[in-house]
Amino acid sequence: YTNLLFQSKQLGLSGRFAEVKKAYALANKLLGDIPKVTPSSKTVGDLAQFITTTKISQEELVQNAAILPLPNSVVEYMQGALGPPPGGFPEPFRTNVLKGRPLKDGRDCFVGRPGSELPSYDFKSAEKNLKEAYGEKRITHKEVLSHALYPSVFKDYLAFEKTFGDCSRLPTHMFLRPMPVGEESQLHLGQGKDYYIQL
């Protein structure tokens, strides 16, 4: 429940975590009791939080799935973006979710494992293009791989970095929430580079 608790806090649901856990059981059932590994566990958590915030019943959710603003992770799961689940997709929830939500190529959903449809990735060309766009020194093999796996997340991160600089050495709590006035935090930037910051 660690990730689910963190996500719930980010959405302001930490005081309703008992409800989120109950909704998690319902979401798990609606999604076909899938194995919980990232990203499938996030999909179940996203649906649980949607159920909690909307206070929707199972019947209303299944019946109105075509018109509800469901989390993208749920829609993509039902489109088969994570592949087919071991027990198959639960019906009629899947059919209702897919109504009016085609894939970019117009199909309703993937058939089989979606990765099998991907073309080969040209790492050399990608590296060249990324170095032209972001600079020779900024792009390493790690960045090329990050871009290959998560292109939009990668571009968003570099835009964030351009605006705010390198935040990789900030402690997580300082990155995720502003420091309250009077709070003091230690910032370690390397050997012999410890700073105490107070707002």
Side-chain angles (χ1 to χ4, degrees):
Y1 285 125
T2 307
N3 289 341
L4 184 61
L5 178 59
F6 178 75
Q7 290 170 334
S8 296
K9 285 181 179 179
Q10 295 298 326
L11 293 173
L13 296 173
S14 56
R16 299 173 63 191
F17 195 59
E19 291 175 65
V20 173
K21 290 191 294 185
K22 186 176 178 184
Y24 190 91
L26 172 57
N28 182 52
K29 177 182 168 189
L30 285 168
L31 295 172
D33 192 18
I34 55 178
K36 311 304 180 293
V37 293
T38 303
S40 61
S41 60
K42 181 186 180 311
T43 302
V44 180
D46 288 349
L47 185 57
Q49 291 167 10
F50 178 82
I51 291 168
T52 303
T53 57
T54 59
K55 298 180 181 181
I56 195 167
S57 71
Q58 177 178 346
E59 294 76 24
E60 292 171 316
L61 181 59
V62 171
Q63 185 178 20
N64 298 309
I67 58 170
L68 290 169
L70 295 169
N72 284 340
S73 62
V74 174
V75 174
E76 290 171 356
Y77 167 74
M78 290 300 192
Q79 289 172 332
L82 303 181
F89 289 101
E91 292 294 351
F93 187 50
R94 183 188 195 201
T95 298
N96 293 343
V97 169
L98 294 180
K99 286 179 187 170
R101 293 180 172 122
L103 296 170
K104 289 179 183 177
D105 63 9
R107 294 180 294 161
D108 288 337
C109 59
F110 291 103
V111 176
R113 193 178 65 79
S116 65
E117 299 179 17
L118 292 174
S120 295
Y121 190 79
D122 185 349
F123 284 93
K124 288 186 190 259
S125 176
E127 182 176 7
K128 179 180 176 285
N129 293 337
L130 289 170
K131 285 183 176 182
E132 287 173 4
Y134 300 106
E136 187 81 23
K137 291 183 178 181
R138 181 61 185 95
I139 302 300
T140 66
H141 181 69
K142 184 173 81 172
E143 281 76 26
V144 175
L145 185 57
S146 294
H147 181 266
L149 294 171
Y150 306 103
S152 62
V153 173
F154 176 79
K155 289 175 184 174
D156 289 348
Y157 175 75
L158 287 187
F160 173 89
E161 185 181 71
K162 185 176 182 179
T163 303
F164 299 103
D166 180 12
C167 296
S168 63
R169 294 185 181 254
L170 284 178
T172 304
H173 72 279
M174 287 179 74
F175 179 79
L176 294 177
R177 64 172 175 79
M179 289 175 58
V181 173
E183 180 180 290
E184 184 178 277
S185 287
Q186 181 181 4
L187 187 58
H188 178 73
L189 297 179
Q191 188 171 357
K193 295 182 180 178
D194 289 308
Y195 299 92
Y196 290 90
I197 301 170
Q198 185 173 13
L199 185 62

